[in-house]
Amino acid sequence: MSFAEDLVKAILTEFVTWLILLWVPALAAAVPTCGASLSAAAPVTEVKAAQTTAKTTRKVNKLRELLQKVLDWLRSCSRSSPRRRWASRSRRSRRRTRAQTSSRRPWATRA
């Protein structure tokens, strides 16, 4: 989980750095441009914020999916010992056999 935290921190650090590089000159030029530099910086900031949010969401979702797969795999390993796996397979095959035979011979009665 520290990897996910570091990833989000890195993306946010990149975004804040970009904001500083954009807004400091825009604020410095606000007086001579009568606020036009601020008007130009605001929509660009909104677009960059949306892009950063989408990027962060994609990365976190990929990581969540990977962790879910690992968790499912660990659960499947802990639930089934070799003996249990054999027993569940044989039950499944018996069920499948009954279903297949009854579907092939509709006139046959079920046991």
Side-chain angles (χ1 to χ4, degrees), residues 1 5 7 12-13 15 17 21 28 31-32 50-51 59 65-68 73 76 88 90 103 108 111:
M1 289 312 294
E5 184 179 343
L7 178 67
L12 290 176
T13 302
F15 176 64
T17 303
L21 292 175
V31 174
Q51 289 173 347
K59 300 280 185 184
E65 289 172 5
L66 178 66
L67 290 174
Q68 186 64 44
W73 179 76
S76 70
S88 63
S90 64
S103 64

Side-chain angles (χ1 to χ4, degrees), residues 93-104 110:
S93 64
R94 275 187 253 139
R95 274 190 235 132
R96 195 176 313 121
T97 306
R98 285 182 195 151
Q100 288 170 351
T101 55
S102 63
S103 64
R104 278 191 235 140
R110 292 189 184 200

Side-chain angles (χ1 to χ4, degrees), residues 14-111:
E14 177 187 340
F15 176 64
V16 170
T17 303
W18 181 86
L19 282 176
I20 291 170
L21 292 175
L22 176 72
W23 279 93
V24 168
L27 288 170
V31 174
T33 60
C34 297
S37 60
L38 298 177
S39 298
V44 176
T45 301
E46 291 175 14
V47 171
K48 184 70 172 180
Q51 289 173 347
T52 303
T53 303
K55 180 179 178 181
T56 305
T57 304
R58 272 195 313 271
K59 300 280 185 184
V60 169
N61 282 338
K62 283 183 183 179
L63 185 62
R64 185 189 54 79
E65 289 172 5
L66 178 66
L67 290 174
Q68 186 64 44
K69 286 180 183 179
V70 169
L71 181 64
D72 291 342
W73 179 76
L74 288 172
R75 283 182 180 161
S76 70
C77 287
S78 67
R79 282 187 197 149
S80 57
S81 67
R83 177 176 259 179
R84 276 182 139 180
R85 269 189 252 137
W86 178 81
S88 63
R89 283 184 192 149
S90 64
R91 269 188 251 125
R92 273 188 246 137
S93 64
R94 275 187 253 139
R95 274 190 235 132
R96 195 176 313 121
T97 306
R98 285 182 195 151
Q100 288 170 351
T101 55
S102 63
S103 64
R104 278 191 235 140
R105 299 178 295 162
W107 62 88
T109 58
R110 292 189 184 200

